Amino acid sequence: MLENLALTIVIPVYNEQENLARVQKELLEYINQSHTITTVLFVNDGSSDNSQSLIEEICNKHMAFNYISFDKNYGLSAAIKAGFDYTTTSLVGYIDADLQTTPLDFDLLLEHIETYDLVTGVRTARKDSVVKNMSSKIANGIRRSFTKDGMDDTGCPLKIIKTEYAQRIPMFRGLHRFLPAMILLQGGKIKQVPVRHFERIAGTANFGVWNRLLGPLMDCFAYLWMKKKYINYKVANKG
């Protein structure tokens, strides 16, 4: 059944010039072996380095690669939302440009996407620092207590979502951490699948303790407010 699916892989980019050659190589390898019709959409989030020139070079060489570029830096949630908004395939995936997860593991998620509306990775044997691992573990515990989504690693940068669900998510800053919970609010089904994790080998991480711990705690209160106000409906009939 996978050969009947079409997938857009969204890659947010913010000052990742050192990683883009490897992104091109690994995504091409995945596209060439995938059983799905797969394209890549770069979202340049106002990079100040040479990322945009490299993105344009990649897209000019390969028809499966496309891009949109922001006029300034808006943040990861905005980049992900723009990727969802500009997706025209039935499925949309997400991976970070640092490739601490591998696109090859999209196939592990695709195995479940017919039954579920979002399938997210869970990073096993994480190759991050002790501080980053501990802060992420605490932040995930806090989010789980607020959202009751049962997800162990909502920050994993490897996800596939049915596009009709992704495009209904009312994104606000920080909501990329709540994607599974937002699918549940729509009455969708979610699943987590173990995926591989690798060390960052180039570029600089853009997130500190505030982004991983204190920021997400504040976002939890925003999520609870939004959940209380969230509108969801099903049309029974029309004429």
Side-chain angles (χ1 to χ4, degrees), residues 1-21:
M1 293 295 291
L2 294 181
E3 60 270 16
N4 298 322
L5 301 177
L7 169 68
T8 297
I9 298 174
V10 173
I11 306 180
V13 176
Y14 180 64
N15 293 344
E16 293 284 3
Q17 63 180 17
E18 298 175 16
N19 282 310
L20 288 173

Side-chain angles (χ1 to χ4, degrees), residues 10-212:
V10 173
I11 306 180
V13 176
Y14 180 64
N15 293 344
E16 293 284 3
Q17 63 180 17
E18 298 175 16
N19 282 310
L20 288 173
R22 190 162 64 98
V23 168
Q24 174 186 224
K25 178 178 180 293
E26 294 197 19
L27 267 295
L28 278 174
E29 289 177 357
Y30 176 72
I31 289 169
N32 290 334
Q33 65 90 47
S34 178
H35 295 293
T36 65
I37 301 170
T38 304
T39 57
V40 173
L41 178 61
F42 291 111
V43 182
N44 183 10
D45 184 22
S47 296
S48 58
D49 64 359
N50 199 39
S51 291
Q52 181 60 29
S53 296
L54 295 173
I55 287 170
E56 291 179 16
E57 182 180 322
I58 293 169
C59 294
N60 287 334
K61 287 193 298 186
H62 305 289
M63 290 184 62
F65 289 74
N66 302 281
Y67 75 88
I68 57 176
S69 182
F70 287 167
D71 61 337
K72 64 179 182 178
N73 176 245
Y74 290 96
L76 182 57
S77 289
I80 293 174
K81 174 167 175 52
F84 291 170
D85 289 345
Y86 279 80
T87 290
T88 58
T89 55
S90 58
L91 300 176
V92 58
Y94 157 57
I95 191 170
D96 276 350
D98 60 18
L99 292 183
Q100 287 194 259
T101 52
T102 172
L104 296 176
D105 284 350
F106 275 122
D107 283 351
L108 299 177
L109 310 187
L110 283 167
E111 291 178 8
H112 305 279
I113 199 60
E114 290 187 65
T115 304
Y116 295 90
D117 304 300
L118 174 146
V119 185
T120 182
V122 179
R123 292 166 285 189
T124 59
R126 287 185 62 172
K127 302 300 191 295
D128 289 322
S129 68
V130 173
V131 172
K132 185 173 182 180
N133 283 336
M134 286 301 298
S135 59
S136 293
K137 184 175 182 179
I138 293 170
N140 274 304
I142 293 171
R143 281 192 294 271
R144 198 162 50 244
S145 68
F146 275 78
T147 64
K148 313 298 183 185
D149 61 11
M151 298 287 102
D152 297 314
D153 186 14
T154 59
C156 179
L158 197 78
K159 292 178 172 63
I160 292 180
I161 313 174
K162 289 177 179 170
T163 302
E164 60 180 307
Y165 283 84
Q167 292 181 338
R168 289 199 297 261
I169 295 174
M171 292 285 273
F172 57 82
R173 187 172 298 171
L175 194 61
H176 63 273
R177 304 180 180 99
F178 297 86
L179 295 179
M182 295 305 302
I183 301 303
L184 289 177
L185 282 184
Q186 297 181 45
K189 295 189 293 183
I190 61 177
K191 184 177 179 63
Q192 55 186 1
V193 176
V195 298
R196 291 169 286 178
H197 191 245
F198 305 90
E199 294 181 9
R200 174 186 268 270
I201 63 174
T204 303
N206 298 309
F207 299 93
V209 172
W210 170 261
N211 303 88
R212 290 190 299 268

